[in-house]
């Protein structure tokens, strides 16, 4: 592993979270989401009033959300080092990373389209499209939960004498996968804690998920430091070749 590259990719997860807070929170005013109980006309008016903020915010998010892919792949690198033989967990985790990236990018693209000419859209259509993008934001939890379970499995089955990630990281990922499950309840509620702007399905899941990204970033950075120390302690390839040639000469 080229630890400097992995370190930069790990830090990109922090950039993702910052872009989310700045764009979605301050520019778009979408933290928390508009209530699903609002009327179609009220939702349409939000997009009309905030269209410039939404456009600028989604531009930032289209860039920032791309970092989910680079961040998640910094974890996949280490999953590969934990596996023996056929890297089934690595391949599956790579697929989850790519699938999660698609969900991330769908959100700002949809918001940008809705804010492009909101005055010309039928309010009922805009309301349905708004529901759709929040369903993408919240209801897309399963591939992310599977990614967490894959990380946990790799950590708990790590074959290295000195484990790459501490074992508690595996249990942390298992618990995180369980804790984001309430996101799946948003399709049954328009008000209350399980609505897509509610205390559980949005706020709790949002804090758990993005807190997980920050936490895993710190863990990967720690693993990068340990890997660099390990690489420095091992003889370089040139030294090994020279040593082998000297041995043959003798």
């Amino acid at each position: 592993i080229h630890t400097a590259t992995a370190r930069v990719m790990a830090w990109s997860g922090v950039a993702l979270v910052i872009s989310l807070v700045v764009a979605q929170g301050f520019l778009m005013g979408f933290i928390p989401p508009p209530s699903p109980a609002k009327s179609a006309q009220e939702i349409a008016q939000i997009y009309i009033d905030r269209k410039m903020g939404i456009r600028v915010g989604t531009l930032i998010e289209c860039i920032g959300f791309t970092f989910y892919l680079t961040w998640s792949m910094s974890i996949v690198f280490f999953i590969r080092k934990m596996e023996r033989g056929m890297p089934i967990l690595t391949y599956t985790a790579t697929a989850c990373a790519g699938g999660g990236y698609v969900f991330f990018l769908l959100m700002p693209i949809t918001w940008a389209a809705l804010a492009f000419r909101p005055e010309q859209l039928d309010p009922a259509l805009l309301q349905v499209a708004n529901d759709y993008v929040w369903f993408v934001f919240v209801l897309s939890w399963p591939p992310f939960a599977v990614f967490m379970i894959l990380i946990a499995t790799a950590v708990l089955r790590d074959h290295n004498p000195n484990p790459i990630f501490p074992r508690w990281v595996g249990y942390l990922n298992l618990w995180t996968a369980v804790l984001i499950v309430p996101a799946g309840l948003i399709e049954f509620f328009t008000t209350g804690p399980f609505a897509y702007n509610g205390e559980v399905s949005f706020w709790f899941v949002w804090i758990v998920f993005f807190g997980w990204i920050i936490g895993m970033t710190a863990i990967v950075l720690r693993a990068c430091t340990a890997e660099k120390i390990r690489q420095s302690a091992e003889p370089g390839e040139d030294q090994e070749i020279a040593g082998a040639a000297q041995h043959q000469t003798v």
Side-chain angles (χ1 to χ4, degrees):
I1 291 177
H2 192 278
T3 55
T5 301
R7 186 178 292 274
V8 170
M9 293 173 71
W11 274 112
S12 68
V14 177
L16 183 159
V17 175
I18 292 172
S19 71
L20 172 79
V21 173
V22 171
Q24 201 164 316
F26 294 105
L27 294 174
M28 301 164 65
F30 280 170
I31 299 179
S35 170
K38 286 183 178 294
S39 68
Q41 193 58 51
E42 288 175 314
I43 294 295
Q45 196 60 48
I46 288 174
Y47 280 87
I48 293 170
D49 294 342
R50 303 180 190 174
K51 64 181 179 181
M52 189 52 66
I54 293 172
R55 291 173 187 175
V56 175
T58 52
L59 175 60
I60 294 171
E61 286 191 332
C62 280
I63 299 168
F65 284 4
T66 301
F67 294 141
Y68 176 78
L69 183 61
T70 54
W71 172 82
S72 56
M73 288 305 297
S74 72
I75 299 173
V76 174
F77 295 156
F78 286 104
I79 290 177
R80 181 64 188 96
K81 287 183 65 66
M82 297 175 197
E83 282 195 276
R84 291 181 185 271
M86 178 65 71
I88 269 182
L89 297 177
T90 303
Y91 292 156
T92 311
T94 301
C96 281
Y101 164 67
V102 172
F103 282 122
F104 262 100
L105 210 55
L106 270 176
M107 294 181 284
I109 290 173
T110 307
W111 277 318
L114 295 179
F116 187 59
R117 45 172 69 98
E119 302 89 347
Q120 299 179 29
L121 293 176
D122 184 312
L125 175 62
L126 205 154
Q127 182 184 42
V128 171
N130 176 73
D131 287 337
Y132 164 78
V133 72
W134 286 110
F135 272 44
V136 171
F137 190 95
V138 182
L139 198 58
S140 58
W141 63 273
F144 299 102
V146 169
F147 186 55
M148 296 167 188
I149 292 169
L150 292 169
I151 295 170
T153 304
V155 171
L156 297 176
R157 293 173 55 186
D158 188 352
H159 74 277
N160 294 282
N162 296 315
I164 295 173
F165 292 168
R167 284 183 64 84
W168 62 262
V169 174
Y171 297 114
L172 172 67
N173 276 270
L174 287 176
W175 271 111
T176 306
V178 171
L179 292 175
I180 65 172
V181 170
L185 298 175
I186 65 168
E187 55 188 305
F188 302 104
F189 300 91
T190 56
T191 60
F194 298 111
Y196 62 60
N197 70 326
E199 293 85 355
V200 176
S201 291
F202 178 75
W203 280 112
F204 177 74
V205 171
W206 190 88
I207 291 169
V208 167
F209 181 78
F210 290 103
W212 166 73
I213 288 181
I214 296 298
M216 286 303 299
T217 297
I219 291 162
V220 170
L221 291 173
R222 174 182 171 184
C224 286
T225 300
E227 177 66 14
K228 185 174 182 179
I229 293 171
R230 185 193 66 78
Q231 290 176 359
S232 299
E234 290 182 350
E237 185 178 346
D238 293 340
Q239 291 176 312
E240 290 179 357
I241 293 173
Q246 183 179 8
H247 178 73
Q248 289 177 356
T249 302
V250 173

